[in-house]
Amino acid sequence: MTADGYIRQELLPDGRYDEARGNLTSAYRERYEVTGNHIRYWDDTGFEAHGEFVDGVLHHVGMIFYREQR
């Protein structure tokens, strides 16, 4: 999740992810693949994005995601 909690991504074990934005749950539900520290996202429209895990923190298209503390 972002530091303010506005964007939250759940990486599902089947290679799909579920992204919530604010009060909108499942704003995006698409595919992802992790290779080493690199993550690749893509959807059926051709949109593609990438990110890198650095010390357990995801850096993705100018945003920083932290593991949610439960």
Side-chain angles (χ1 to χ4, degrees):
M1 64 190 287
T2 54
D4 62 4
Y6 184 76
I7 301 175
R8 300 165 310 281
Q9 288 186 349
E10 182 177 6
L11 302 178
L12 304 169
D14 65 353
R16 310 270 306 162
Y17 73 92
D18 191 350
E19 182 173 299
R21 290 181 174 243
N23 294 327
L24 181 60
T25 58
S26 299
Y28 298 98
R29 299 182 86 178
E30 304 299 342
R31 297 174 288 164
Y32 77 93
E33 180 178 85
V34 175
T35 306
N37 290 331
H38 183 81
I39 187 168
R40 175 181 171 223
Y41 301 89
W42 69 97
D43 68 20
D44 296 333
T45 68
F47 171 79
E48 187 173 326
H50 301 269
E52 294 290 328
F53 292 97
V54 178
D55 296 326
V57 176
L58 173 59
H59 297 259
H60 168 57
V61 294
M63 296 181 284
I64 299 175
F65 287 85
Y66 301 91
R67 189 176 296 270
E68 183 178 14
Q69 301 299 315
R70 294 182 185 220

